[in-house]
Amino acid sequence: MHIGLIGLGKMGFNMRQRLRDGGVTVTGFDRNPEKTDVASVDELISALPTPRVVWVMVPAGEITDALIRELSEKLSPGDLVIDGGNSRFTEDQKHAALLAEKGIRFADCGVSGGVWGLQNGYGLMVGGSAEDVESAMPVFDALRPEGPREDSFVHVGDVGAGHYAKMVHNGIEYGLMQAYAEGYELLAAKDIIKDVTGTFRAWQKGTVVRSWLLDLAVNALEEDPGLDKIAGWADDSGEGRWTVEEAIANAVPAPAITAALFARFVSRQEDSPAMKMVAALRNQFGGHAVKQAGTDAAQ
C-alpha cells in the first residue's frame, strides 16, 4: 500500500518510519525541507496511486482547516483523507461534508502513543464508514502495536467518533497525571520520605497504580530527581477543555478531569511541585515543550 502523509513533526515523522517499517510505502510532505520527501502537496498527490489515501498529521484548528480545503480542490473522487491530528469531533463532520461535495471520502483517527509510538506502536481510535476504515486497514495495522488488533485498535463509529474517543482518552489522561503529580508533591513535602524516586520506582511492579505513565514519571525523576530544571507550568492543548464541555453538555459528572484541567490553570499563576511533574510527564510521553526553571521560554 502507498499513502501520502502530510505533517512530519514530532508524531508524523515517527509515524512515517513505523509505516515504512511495516511495509507501507509513504510519500511525506512537510514544510521543513530536511524532513520532506517532496517539495509540495501537488507533488505528493502526483506521486500517489489512485484511489489515493492521504493522512493529515498537522496541528488542529486553522492549519487543518486550510489543508482540508486545499485537498478538497486537488484530490479526486474516491480518494480518502484521514485526519490523524487532534481535531475536535465537530470539525470532522464539517471536513467530511466539504470533501463529500467533491466525492472525496473522509475518516478521523485519534492517535495515542506520543514520541514513543515509533518503538511501541500507537493506540488508534477511528471514525468513518466501515468500507473506508477497512480500505485503510493495512495502514492502521502497521501503526498499532503487535498483538491482537482489538487491544490497540477500534472502529468507534461514524465520522467524528474517533476524535471524540481520543478527546475522552486525553481527559482521562489529565486526571491520571494530576493524581501522580499530587502524590509526588505529598511525598516530596514529607521529611521522613528520603527516596521519592525510589518510591515511584517501587510502584512499577505488582501495585494497582502501575502504568506506563508511572514508568514515565520514574524516567523524569531519574533524569531530574527534584524536577529542578522544569518550571511548574503546564499547558493544555484543548482536549481537556473539550472533555469538560462535553461532560457539561451531557450532564455527566466529571470532577476529576475538571479539577485536573483547572489545576493546569493554577500552574500558570505560581510554581507548583505537582505541576512540575505534570510538565515532566507531558514532555516524557509527547515531547511537549517545557519551561526551564527561572525562564519564560518553552523548550
Side-chain angles (χ1 to χ4, degrees):
M1 189 168 188
H2 186 175
I3 73 163
L5 175 59
I6 301 177
L8 300 173
K10 287 177 293 189
M11 288 279 285
F13 186 81
N14 285 346
M15 290 172 69
R16 177 177 61 177
Q17 188 59 52
R18 186 169 179 89
L19 286 166
R20 288 173 173 172
D21 292 345
V24 176
T25 301
V26 183
T27 299
F29 170 71
D30 193 271
R31 292 181 179 179
N32 184 342
E34 297 180 358
K35 294 182 177 181
T36 194
D37 299 319
V38 293
S40 67
V41 171
D42 290 331
E43 282 192 23
L44 178 140
I45 291 173
S46 297
L48 299 178
T50 57
R52 302 175 186 89
V53 176
V54 178
W55 188 294
V56 172
M57 205 68 193
V58 299
E62 293 181 2
I63 295 175
T64 296
D65 290 342
L67 180 55
I68 295 295
R69 287 194 299 271
E70 181 179 2
L71 292 174
S72 74
E73 298 295 333
K74 295 180 175 180
L75 291 177
S76 304
D79 291 346
L80 172 64
V81 174
I82 303 173
D83 181 1
N86 278 330
S87 296
R88 190 166 186 169
F89 74 98
T90 49
E91 296 303 300
D92 293 324
Q93 293 155 3
K94 296 176 184 177
H95 295 156
L98 174 64
L99 293 167
E101 293 176 2
K102 306 295 179 65
I104 302 166
R105 301 173 293 152
F106 179 85
D108 59 286
C109 183
V111 180
S112 180
V115 296
W116 296 84
L118 173 59
Q119 174 183 339
N120 299 335
Y122 302 89
L124 305 173
M125 299 142 270
V126 183
S129 74
E131 180 182 3
D132 293 344
V133 173
E134 183 60 33
S135 70
M137 196 56 70
V139 177
F140 301 133
D141 281 341
L143 288 172
R144 66 179 182 81
E146 296 181 3
R149 181 182 289 170
E150 61 269 19
D151 288 350
S152 56
F153 171 89
V154 59
H155 177 199
V156 189
D158 295 334
V159 166
H163 279 149
Y164 194 96
K166 179 58 162 47
M167 174 195 73
V168 175
H169 165 283
N170 284 19
I172 293 170
E173 179 186 290
Y174 275 48
L176 290 173
M177 287 198 293
Q178 186 63 27
Y180 285 126
E182 291 174 9
Y184 162 76
E185 181 167 3
L186 188 56
L187 288 170
K190 192 67 173 177
D191 290 341
I192 62 172
I193 301 297
K194 304 303 182 185
D195 189 352
V196 175
T197 302
T199 303
F200 267 64
R201 191 185 298 115
W203 294 345
Q204 289 181 279
K205 300 290 176 64
T207 77
V208 296
V209 299
R210 66 190 185 273
S211 73
W212 185 40
L213 275 176
L214 178 62
D215 296 341
L216 295 176
V218 171
N219 287 352
L221 289 169
E222 289 178 339
E223 293 170 4
D224 182 10
L227 302 180
D228 297 321
K229 300 176 182 177
I230 300 175
W233 183 97
D235 200 358
D236 67 287
S237 52
E239 296 92 336
R241 297 184 189 218
W242 302 340
T243 306
V244 171
E245 290 171 6
E246 281 298 303
I248 294 170
N250 291 279
V252 173
I257 294 172
T258 303
L261 174 65
F262 287 174
R264 295 198 181 187
F265 297 163
V266 171
S267 82
R268 298 162 208 176
Q269 299 172 346
E270 58 182 298
D271 207 24
S272 160
M275 285 303 107
K276 285 176 179 279
M277 176 55 77
V278 171
L281 281 168
R282 294 182 80 246
N283 179 258
Q284 285 283 328
F285 75 74
H288 298 292
V290 296
K291 285 190 175 181
Q292 300 303 304
T295 74
D296 293 327
Q299 298 182 7

